[in-house]
Amino acid sequence: MKTILWLQGGACGGNTLSFLNAESPDVLEFFSYYDIKLLWHPSLSLETGDKVRELLNNIVNMKINLDIFIFEGTVVLGPNGSGKFNMFAGRPMKDWVNEISKVANYVIAVGDCASFGGVPASDPNPTESTGLQFHKKEKGGFLGKDFRSRKNLPVINIPGCPAHPEWIITTLSMIINDKLTEEDLDEYQRLKIIYNTTTQFGCPRNIYFSYKVALKEFGHREGCLYFDLGCKGSYTRSPCNVILWNKQSSKTRVGTPCFGCTEFDFPTFNFFVTEKNRSGIPKRLPLGVSRGAYTTLSAIARASAPEFLVKPLIKKKEDRGNWLE
Amino acid sequence: MSSKIISPFNRVEGDLDVEVKFERNKVIDAKIISRLFRGIEIILKGKNPLDALVITPRVCGICGASHLYASASALDMIYNAEVPINAIRLRNVLSMAETCQNDLRHTYFMFLIDVLNNKYHDYANFEEVIRRWAPIQGSSYKECFKWSKKYTEVYAIFGGQWPHGSAIIPGGITADPLPNEIQRAISILLDLKKNYLEKVILGGPINQFLDTVKSYNDLLQWAEDYKEGDLAKILEFGLEANWHKLGYGSGIMLSYGHLPTEEYVGTPSKKYFKPGIYFAKEKEYREFDQRNVLEFVNSSYYTYSKGDQTGLHPFEGETNPNLDEKNKKKYSLTKCFRYKLDGKLIAPEAGALAMLSVTGNPLILDLIDKIGPSVLSRVVARLVRVLIYNELMLQELNNFEFGKPTYKKPSEVKEGMGYGLVEAPRGALGHWVVVKNEKILNYQIVTPTQINMSPEDPLGNKSHMALALIGTEVSDVNNPIEVHHIVRSHDACMVCNVHMLKLI
Ligand code: SF4
């Protein structure tokens, strides 16, 4: 039997809610198939009050074995390092996190907030929030860069705002089966098998991206959102278009740009806008592409774009001209 | 007088402490305390107005679409955007799908499992209730687990993902669905209707329920006729447990209205659910005017530049946290919401019950009349709303006109002021935005939980929730389950943990 404790710091609860959407297995099946005991979760457990404090204390003094500590949300240090912007069970949450991390076999940061600081830690970081082992790009975070859990692993990050339930279940099942090793993690301590591709993989607009056919305004199925509308799909590592959301779709499929929410620098702000340099080329290029190569490739690609891509396929009665470029 | 701390108080979306003072077994005073601050309004300052569409859904993982809807509506007003009817229909579907997901999950995961409490062990139908509602094991608990996420599928078809989609934008919606996608969503909703809402929740046909159940007596009759539904069991158990005599509160219902019905420019004039204020005892309806909304910080850990006794309208609102624990008058990180009516400050109730009574739903009005704005009424109202919404989503999708736009690009503006008012799952939610030089100058979010659970205002008026608690007789001060019911019946949302501090 493995035990899990799930706590929330400076969080919106989105990762919990996302987890509840898991399918095959769903959360209840997952717990029973793998003989998992959920010691406590703030919105799923029956125990309240003293019983929870007792449990937490028993975990900290190791009377109860804790296999997996999952933390959602930022570690709140404000105001002035006191942690009092986030009190939990009578103490600053940061103190619980510190003590519990020391006794857990594995420590998991679920979501962008716990991984990197996410929205609360963004400029000007009014709550002095930080991630468990990263603060944005910097390794360190709340637990320090040398932190290792009892199984000698750093914090395992499952970033995403929120994390997809299948990413969470995959990570947990690898841990439960003792299959997760340090080699499985990338430089941001994310599971490589999940975060090795970009959001662009599997995006239906990818063919428009290849031929540099840009979508100029929202509300259309065709055209790529990268050139004008701020899509970060070509340089964000996530499988959003391969492992679909809620079994159905993804942001770029419904015409919403990718905001890069699995990355350390989320939120970057000025979403919905692609910043360009003077020659009109996007400032941020697709992952691993040089400026020279991009410029050459763009010219050729645009010149060879098939006509059926350049002309909208689905025209509506009230459309005012072309929305592709 | 001794004091005992029960903390954390879980299964409420958020960070909340409830301090209850007892005299013998009666609650004589209550304070609602929030101890989580995330500073979203501060983060939004100086950012591109459209960034709010990405940041504000992250205020809450369970009702992000409501924040998105409020945010986009405020920007619609600033940009004087034309919003096509197709966009309105899809926006409405997104909002309703999320709310249904919430109302079901709240009912089964957060509220109903309290029936396992010791107090109820010798109730006649305790075993039946356990069989249905016990966490993880109960049959209806499991059904809710399985079906509630289907609403998030409906959401994702048009919103890309749930939680935290950002498909609603000023001027419409980013999606451009094909008929097969509309059909897929309709099929999921029909599946929910036939195989979940009718079978598990209602025990009978939805259309018959909505057409014929117009009063409290009709509802009791329904429970007689369709005994197998959870609704019947909730009524039966709730009446035995006196949930109909619990947690009345202010008796003043507030709703911002919800779901526009037709194309508009800037701001909608007609909504399916109308806005207003309803006085339960007097049975009196009053118009709502957003200009009368005020926020106070005299009891909250914030300071105002004009002094903490001042009330500010959200357009002038300030967010300056100051955790000055020496100032004993301050105790919460929630600002105090008040509405100015006839020169008085009122502290209304918000939520499904408020929304449906303000709009004049006959069943809900009669329910309030017969069993008060009680814990039981709130639980019933939330389920009734799911039934209404499921039907309305089907209607909106059936009316979707393929080949017509879902978005009209608004012209750019450099400055302006706008507000977006919606009904979130937990009630009236407003975003007030001031834009200057193409940047956000001020962004103020006023949440329904804040309306229900404000601290005291400068005149010492208590919030609705404090009033709902005061006077409650608990059967056992060491197990004040009645207090839990009252707090949870409001679907409190401060996102994360709840502490109850009990002073005896
Ligand atoms: S840039 Fe965005 S819209 Fe374009 S192909 Fe990549 S993920 Fe899809």
Side-chain angles (χ1 to χ4, degrees):
Chain A
M1 186 193 68
K2 301 273 182 190
T3 56
I4 294 182
L5 172 73
W6 184 314
L7 296 182
Q8 298 170 329
C12 70
N15 289 287
T16 288
L17 270 302
S18 180
F19 187 50
L20 294 182
N21 293 337
E23 295 273 353
S24 316
D26 74 20
V27 172
L28 299 182
E29 290 163 347
F30 179 66
F31 287 168
S32 83
Y33 295 168
Y34 288 94
D35 193 19
I36 293 166
K37 184 163 186 217
L38 182 65
L39 293 173
W40 195 74
H41 180 291
S43 47
L44 291 176
S45 298
L46 193 62
E47 299 82 8
T48 185
D50 291 344
K51 281 199 185 139
V52 182
R53 288 176 179 225
E54 201 182 303
L55 172 83
L56 296 178
N57 284 320
N58 282 338
I59 289 172
V60 170
N61 59 34
M62 294 177 77
K63 279 192 198 140
I64 293 176
N65 171 58
L66 177 61
D67 289 302
I68 304 170
F69 174 39
I70 302 180
F71 192 67
E72 169 180 7
T74 59
V75 185
V76 174
L77 304 178
N80 306 318
S82 70
K84 287 187 177 177
F85 275 151
N86 181 21
M87 298 292 282
F88 177 72
R91 315 163 66 189
M93 176 59 98
K94 73 175 176 65
D95 296 346
W96 287 115
V97 172
N98 183 33
E99 290 172 14
I100 294 167
S101 297
K102 285 189 186 135
V103 296
N105 286 331
Y106 299 91
V107 177
I108 296 183
V110 64
D112 218 58
C113 289
S115 301
F116 305 121
V119 169
S122 62
D123 169 51
N125 195 356
T127 53
E128 298 161 45
S129 272
T130 190
L132 279 180
Q133 203 163 23
F134 280 85
H135 182 76
K136 300 288 168 183
K137 203 184 169 112
E138 295 314 312
K139 196 162 169 184
F142 176 65
L143 295 172
K145 66 180 189 322
D146 298 324
F147 171 83
R148 301 238 142 203
S149 65
R150 293 184 67 221
K151 288 276 183 180
N152 199 28
L153 279 171
V155 172
I156 299 156
N157 288 330
I158 316 179
C161 189
H164 188 292
E166 204 164 316
W167 315 343
I168 305 173
I169 296 259
T170 305
T171 311
L172 288 176
S173 56
M174 282 181 73
I175 289 177
I176 285 161
N177 293 320
D178 281 323
K179 281 191 185 147
L180 196 147
T181 66
E182 204 153 353
E183 281 82 77
D184 295 316
L185 303 177
D186 72 7
E187 73 267 40
Y188 292 106
Q189 293 163 206
R190 309 176 286 200
L191 207 57
K192 283 182 200 158
I193 52 161
I194 290 172
Y195 297 91
N196 62 346
T197 58
T198 64
T199 313
Q200 204 166 37
F201 278 65
C203 174
R205 298 168 192 268
N206 206 337
I207 189 161
Y208 294 92
F209 174 85
S210 304
Y211 288 110
K212 309 300 166 221
V213 180
L215 181 63
K216 286 190 292 190
E217 61 172 54
F218 294 108
H220 301 282
R221 306 185 72 83
E222 304 164 279
C224 171
L225 301 152
Y226 169 59
F227 310 97
D228 292 311
L229 301 174
C231 187
K232 298 176 187 299
S234 65
Y235 50 85
T236 295
R237 269 160 293 196
S238 95
C240 290
N241 276 303
V242 180
I243 301 173
L244 294 184
W245 283 87
N246 315 85
K247 298 201 292 189
Q248 298 295 340
S249 198
S250 73
K251 282 216 174 67
T252 64
R253 281 169 195 240
V254 299
T256 308
C258 162
F259 304 124
C261 74
T262 50
E263 294 290 343
F264 54 81
D265 56 354
F266 175 78
T268 51
F269 299 102
N270 228 8
F271 302 109
F272 302 96
V273 180
T274 302
E275 286 181 67
K276 297 182 188 168
N277 64 19
R278 268 195 275 147
S279 50
I281 291 179
K283 278 196 178 151
R284 227 172 136 180
L285 294 178
L287 199 66
V289 173
S290 78
R291 197 150 288 275
Y294 181 85
T295 315
T296 320
L297 181 72
S298 297
I300 302 170
R302 193 64 182 86
S304 51
E307 202 183 277
F308 77 92
L309 287 185
V310 182
K311 272 204 192 134
L313 290 169
I314 307 167
K315 248 206 151 77
K316 296 172 201 160
K317 291 171 205 119
E318 292 167 38
D319 279 332
R320 303 170 278 196
N322 278 6
W323 53 87
L324 296 177
E325 180 166 83
Chain B
M1 205 185 200
S2 62
S3 77
K4 193 185 170 199
I5 294 167
I6 305 176
S7 167
F9 177 139
N10 61 325
R11 278 184 290 113
V12 182
E13 284 296 316
D15 223 53
L16 173 76
D17 299 15
V18 182
E19 181 181 318
V20 194
K21 266 188 203 171
F22 289 104
E23 203 174 82
R24 278 191 291 274
N25 64 340
K26 194 173 183 166
V27 177
I28 53 160
D29 198 7
K31 272 184 181 168
I32 322 293
I33 305 167
S34 155
R35 289 304 300 266
L36 173 71
F37 175 68
R38 292 192 307 138
I40 302 282
E41 293 160 335
I42 299 177
I43 289 168
L44 283 168
K45 255 194 186 150
K47 305 294 191 312
N48 183 326
L50 293 183
D51 287 347
L53 306 170
V54 180
I55 302 302
T56 63
R58 269 92 184 171
V59 168
C60 175
I62 198 162
C63 66
S66 301
H67 285 282
L68 178 63
Y69 206 160
S71 190
S73 304
L75 297 178
D76 280 342
M77 192 182 289
I78 293 174
Y79 293 109
N80 204 30
E82 270 180 76
V83 189
I85 184 71
N86 264 351
I88 290 168
R89 292 191 175 116
L90 295 181
R91 285 173 169 197
N92 288 352
V93 168
L94 294 186
S95 174
M96 288 188 274
E98 178 179 87
T99 296
C100 289
Q101 164 274 143
N102 174 81
D103 287 354
L104 293 168
R105 285 174 169 171
H106 174 266
T107 303
Y108 287 95
F109 301 168
M110 309 223 169
F111 182 81
L112 277 182
I113 69 179
D114 272 331
V115 301
L116 266 70
N117 193 274
N118 289 342
K119 178 182 171 184
Y120 301 126
H121 283 194
D122 47 7
Y123 273 41
N125 40 16
F126 183 68
E127 269 174 33
E128 165 78 13
V129 157
I130 296 289
R131 196 180 61 67
R132 284 181 189 238
W133 301 333
I136 319 286
Q137 306 294 339
S139 59
S140 296
Y141 186 95
K142 282 188 189 154
E143 293 282 323
C144 180
F145 222 95
K146 186 169 126 202
W147 290 97
S148 57
K149 67 184 158 208
K150 297 223 180 266
Y151 283 112
T152 73
E153 291 179 27
V154 172
Y155 187 98
I157 292 172
F158 311 110
Q161 69 175 77
W162 190 91
H164 296 348
S166 291
I168 305 178
I169 48 173
I173 176 158
T174 65
D176 175 26
L178 291 174
N180 65 311
E181 289 164 325
I182 300 283
Q183 188 51 50
R184 208 186 311 150
I186 289 176
S187 305
I188 295 172
L189 292 168
L190 288 174
D191 192 17
L192 274 155
K193 174 175 175 170
K194 292 279 159 233
N195 296 313
Y196 179 58
L197 299 179
E198 295 192 339
K199 271 198 193 134
V200 180
I201 304 260
L202 207 48
I206 288 188
N207 301 38
Q208 187 192 331
F209 181 91
L210 294 177
D211 288 348
T212 60
V213 180
K214 305 276 185 201
S215 68
Y216 179 52
N217 274 339
D218 294 345
L219 185 68
L220 294 176
Q221 187 59 50
W222 179 275
E224 278 272 295
D225 296 346
Y226 297 98
K227 282 198 184 61
E228 280 314 300
D230 274 349
L231 184 62
K233 297 287 177 247
I234 289 172
L235 275 168
E236 195 184 359
F237 189 90
L239 288 169
E240 188 176 358
N242 278 331
W243 290 354
H244 58 306
K245 294 183 182 155
L246 211 57
Y248 277 31
S250 73
I252 308 169
M253 303 289 161
L254 168 71
S255 171
Y256 290 166
H258 198 35
L259 309 177
T261 54
E262 52 190 33
E263 214 145 34
Y264 62 82
V265 180
T267 181
S269 54
K270 267 204 204 142
K271 294 178 173 181
Y272 284 112
F273 301 91
K274 75 170 182 200
I277 297 158
Y278 179 71
F279 289 83
K281 255 198 219 108
E282 299 77 4
K283 297 192 192 172
E284 193 190 323
Y285 168 87
R286 300 286 296 265
E287 299 277 339
F288 167 79
D289 183 344
Q290 64 83 29
R291 284 174 296 190
N292 297 329
V293 169
L294 290 172
E295 286 188 295
F296 294 89
V297 295
N298 55 295
S299 308
S300 314
Y301 292 123
Y302 297 91
T303 49
Y304 275 171
S305 50
K306 287 183 190 158
D308 297 355
Q309 304 297 310
T310 328
L312 295 182
H313 181 270
F315 274 142
E316 274 85 51
E318 297 175 8
T319 308
N320 312 313
N322 181 4
L323 206 58
D324 174 7
E325 287 170 310
K326 273 179 245 120
N327 187 339
K328 289 287 173 239
K329 288 201 184 103
K330 294 187 184 248
Y331 61 86
S332 181
L333 277 162
T334 295
K335 291 187 205 163
C336 168
F337 170 99
R338 289 293 181 266
Y339 185 80
K340 213 160 111 190
L341 189 73
D342 305 336
K344 284 198 203 108
L345 296 178
I346 61 170
E349 163 172 4
L353 186 70
M355 168 183 164
L356 293 177
S357 58
V358 165
T359 205
N361 179 295
L363 167 62
I364 301 302
L365 284 177
D366 196 51
L367 217 55
I368 289 186
D369 193 32
K370 301 283 157 44
I371 57 168
S374 55
V375 166
L376 186 59
S377 304
R378 282 180 203 110
V379 178
V380 171
R382 207 169 277 122
L383 290 178
V384 168
R385 179 163 70 180
V386 174
L387 306 176
I388 296 174
Y389 271 9
N390 202 80
E391 287 297 290
L392 193 50
M393 274 188 271
L394 284 165
Q395 183 190 315
E396 295 283 51
L397 290 171
N398 281 318
N399 288 339
F400 184 85
E401 293 166 88
F402 179 70
K404 291 221 173 141
T406 53
Y407 172 74
K408 282 193 182 156
K409 195 179 165 133
S411 35
E412 277 159 43
V413 289
K414 288 197 167 38
E415 57 183 58
M417 290 159 94
Y419 54 83
L421 305 176
V422 300
E423 278 292 308
R426 292 167 187 78
L429 167 70
H431 286 204
W432 279 263
V433 189
V434 184
V435 170
K436 212 172 171 198
N437 299 326
E438 296 175 71
K439 297 268 180 278
I440 294 169
L441 183 72
N442 198 4
Y443 204 109
Q444 293 291 323
I445 300 171
V446 183
T447 67
T449 299
Q450 189 184 336
I451 297 177
N452 283 328
M453 308 184 185
S454 290
E456 286 76 29
D457 62 35
L459 301 174
N461 296 317
K462 299 246 174 210
S463 68
H464 155 69
M465 173 82 116
L467 295 176
L469 288 168
I470 293 171
T472 302
E473 305 234 356
V474 303
S475 41
D476 175 3
V477 282
N478 292 313
N479 175 27
I481 186 67
E482 296 81 0
V483 171
H484 290 237
H485 289 325
I486 294 170
V487 174
R488 292 206 180 98
S489 76
H490 289 84
D491 197 353
C493 176
M494 273 105 158
V495 182
C496 170
N497 50 62
V498 179
H499 316 258
M500 183 161 68
L501 177 64
K502 192 171 56 147
L503 301 173
I504 304 174

